[in-house]
Amino acid sequence: MFIVILFIFWGILSGVLCRKLSTGARISLTDVAARWQGRIVTWLVWLLLFLLGIEVGSNEMIVRSLPTLGVEALLLSSAATLGCCVLAWMLWRVSKNNTVQENAKYETSAEKEGNPAEKEGLQGSSLIRGLKVMKGSLIVVGFFVIGLLGGIEKMVPSWLLDGDVSFVALCGLLLFVGLGIGLNPEMKKEVRSLSPRMALLPVVTIIGSWLGALLIWTVLHRTLSDCMAINSGFAYYSLSSIFITEYRGAELGTIALLANIIREMLTLLGAPLMARWFGPLAPISAGGATTMDTTLPILSQTVGQRYIALSIYHGFVVDFTVPFLVSWWCMV
């Protein structure tokens, strides 16, 4: 775990250093690093999920259990989403901005903000819009499936099953994830603009996800730490599933992958209903670590532009906790 944390902070320090060295330079190291950072993270995620698929497909017992694993993943993700929505509603109710006037303003925000085409698209084709946003997630799933089929058919070289290969790729992924954090110059300003109560939303997300895990643990034949580790992925399916695979094996890693993908899908497709039933903080909390990237467009259309800074801050903080909390629960 110490090595993993070291690579994250090494990446953050590298990003900060790039920003400082770019000041006044003819060629901005920040622009170059940011351009390649996103690509390399994507490639490493594809590689690691491909390796996870190979490991799962090579294990006949896990392959036979996939339908059962899918049901467990659905239960865990649904409970985490519900727990986050309920606690986010409670935070919204006690927030100093939650007056009757603010509630009335919120209920019509989707109609007041944006152009008519966006409003029509939000009301009439949220499913299609959600599927477009999920394009990246579907590609990730595709790499997992390719690896799964390769493992089942024994069509991959044996050295790909070596744990050292996935560990090296994992360290590289965390290095570049940290680099992306260090390269972001706006995060400090966005955090300072938040009210103290709204800044508690990441805590609400973490506790809500854990309450969901606690609820489902009572009906699953899994340890509490397993359920907590899975729901501590907060929809960051790639990183969390890879960590859990390293610590607890491919079976639990597969459940984590499915559970966190389902959670992202629930947020993308159900954000309007969550906002209507539980208030504007609910879809942000349900989105977990994805609220600063994949679910951000849907959130901006659902709860309004005034929550964009909160969504980015929330996604950043929750994203940063994933490797630490998942690792901690896996080692309990």
Side-chain angles (χ1 to χ4, degrees):
M1 182 176 177
F2 174 76
I3 296 177
V4 167
I5 297 173
L6 181 63
F7 271 91
I8 294 176
F9 282 103
W10 186 13
I12 293 173
L13 292 175
S14 299
V16 173
L17 181 62
C18 281
R19 286 197 288 113
K20 291 185 179 297
L21 293 177
S22 296
T23 305
R26 294 179 60 184
I27 300 177
S28 174
L29 289 176
T30 302
D31 294 340
V32 175
R35 187 181 307 118
W36 283 99
Q37 181 267 344
R39 295 177 183 176
I40 293 174
V41 166
T42 299
W43 296 337
L44 288 174
V45 166
W46 290 349
L47 172 61
L48 285 164
L49 268 297
F50 174 70
L51 294 174
L52 174 58
I54 292 174
E55 186 173 353
V56 171
S58 301
N59 190 318
E60 295 181 2
M61 184 179 297
I62 295 179
V63 171
R64 289 196 299 268
S65 303
L66 275 178
T68 303
L69 301 183
V71 172
E72 293 184 33
L74 178 61
L75 291 174
L76 284 165
S77 58
S78 299
T81 301
L82 180 60
C84 288
C85 286
V86 171
L87 292 191
W89 174 80
M90 295 172 64
L91 177 63
W92 170 243
R93 295 297 298 177
V94 301
S95 171
K96 64 181 180 180
N97 294 325
N98 189 33
T99 61
V100 175
Q101 181 179 2
E102 179 69 15
N103 282 331
K105 178 181 178 182
Y106 162 69
E107 289 175 356
T108 59
S109 64
E111 289 78 13
K112 290 182 178 180
E113 297 186 11
N115 58 51
E118 290 176 336
K119 289 183 287 185
E120 181 179 356
L122 177 62
Q123 296 170 354
S125 59
S126 60
L127 177 61
I128 296 175
R129 190 178 298 274
L131 290 174
K132 288 180 179 180
V133 176
M134 285 193 297
K135 179 181 178 181
S137 302
L138 296 176
I139 293 174
V140 167
V141 174
F143 273 89
F144 174 76
V145 172
I146 292 172
L148 179 67
L149 295 176
I152 292 174
E153 300 297 331
K154 312 299 182 184
M155 297 173 59
V156 295
S158 59
W159 61 268
L160 282 178
L161 294 173
D162 188 352
D164 291 340
V165 176
S166 59
F167 182 74
V168 170
L170 174 61
C171 291
L173 174 62
L174 294 178
L175 175 67
F176 283 95
V177 167
L179 180 65
I181 295 172
L183 289 172
N184 188 349
E186 301 296 327
M187 191 53 60
K188 184 183 294 185
K189 181 176 67 175
E190 297 289 358
V191 170
R192 288 177 177 174
S193 68
L194 296 174
S195 67
R197 288 189 179 181
M198 290 296 185
L200 292 175
L201 187 58
V203 178
V204 165
T205 297
I206 293 171
I207 296 175
S209 300
W210 287 352
L211 288 177
L214 182 62
L215 175 65
I216 298 302
W217 166 65
T218 61
V219 298
L220 292 183
H221 299 293
R222 300 281 175 186
T223 65
L224 178 60
S225 61
D226 284 348
C227 296
M228 290 293 192
I230 291 170
N231 276 8
S232 294
F234 310 123
Y236 198 163
Y237 49 82
S238 55
L239 191 61
S240 61
S241 61
I242 292 162
F243 264 94
I244 292 174
T245 300
E246 290 290 327
Y247 284 105
R248 294 291 182 89
E251 178 178 328
L252 202 67
T254 301
I255 298 176
L257 174 66
L258 296 174
N260 286 289
I261 288 176
I262 292 171
R263 179 167 174 173
E264 182 184 42
M265 293 172 63
L266 289 174
T267 304
L268 288 168
L269 303 180
L273 290 177
M274 294 178 195
R276 181 172 295 276
W277 292 342
F278 297 100
L281 301 185
I284 301 175
S285 182
T290 68
T291 59
M292 66 177 182
D293 42 61
T294 56
T295 59
L296 187 60
I298 294 296
L299 293 174
S300 67
Q301 295 166 353
T302 302
V303 299
Q305 292 292 325
R306 66 185 181 277
Y307 291 103
I308 291 299
L310 177 61
S311 298
I312 294 173
Y313 157 77
H314 170 267
F316 173 82
V317 174
V318 174
D319 186 306
F320 188 75
T321 67
V322 169
F324 303 102
L325 294 180
V326 170
S327 300
W328 186 76
W329 281 113
C330 285
M331 297 175 68
V332 169

